[in-house]
Amino acid sequence: SINCASWNVRSLNNKVENVMNFLEDYNISIFFVTETWLTDQNNNTTARIKDRGYKVYHTNRNGKAGGGVGIIYKSSINLVKVFVNSETSFEAINAKLKLLMVHCLLFMRLSSSWTTWPLSV
């Protein structure tokens, strides 16, 4: 079975050990995380995730601090990146579970952008 969860962590950098313990304790296969606050693809935080048997696929908030969305998933899962989008009104990443042909979309509206709804993805 594949167990999924999500969490608005408000900085993965200072909570990575708590997050990884949660994933292991509850056998979470795919974890959707908002407000990652990560600034680049490879850093100490992503290295610690990889050391625990997971991979991470994320996007940063362009031009501002904070924000960012990501998917943390077990290394044994074949997750294919579809797209990353970081607009002024939303942040999103999309991935596909290759074996099941299931798409995983994480979408976070930015609070200052409610006037731009609806949005087609």
Side-chain angles (χ1 to χ4, degrees):
S1 70
I2 295 177
N3 297 321
C4 301
S6 67
W7 188 355
N8 180 339
V9 295
R10 296 204 51 183
S11 183
L12 190 55
N13 296 311
N14 64 358
K15 297 177 187 80
V16 68
E17 290 303 318
N18 291 336
V19 167
M20 298 313 299
N21 289 338
F22 170 79
L23 299 183
E24 291 169 348
D25 289 349
Y26 292 95
N27 194 28
I28 303 298
S29 306
I30 303 173
F31 183 62
F32 304 94
V33 59
T34 57
E35 297 288 346
T36 63
W37 298 13
L38 298 175
T39 56
D40 55 35
Q41 292 299 315
N42 297 301
N43 57 39
N44 185 47
T45 301
T46 59
R48 290 163 65 191
I49 291 167
K50 292 172 186 173
D51 286 346
R52 302 279 286 265
Y54 285 78
K55 294 181 181 179
V56 60
Y57 168 36
H58 68 92
T59 183
N60 313 330
R61 178 168 292 172
N62 291 330
K64 286 181 152 179
V69 293
I71 302 174
I72 300 172
Y73 58 99
K74 287 185 176 180
S75 296
S76 60
I77 293 177
N78 191 356
L79 195 72
V80 178
K81 298 173 188 177
V82 177
F83 77 80
V84 174
N85 195 346
S86 186
E87 298 287 335
T88 57
S89 62
F90 70 95
E91 296 170 348
I93 58 176
N94 184 3
K96 176 173 59 172
L97 287 170
K98 197 164 187 176
L99 179 64
L100 301 174
M101 297 305 293
V102 172
H103 281 263
C104 302
L105 173 66
L106 178 58
F107 179 89
M108 181 176 70
R109 296 282 295 165
L110 304 180
S111 61
S112 61
S113 64
W114 291 110
T115 59
T116 60
W117 192 263
L119 172 75
S120 62
V121 178

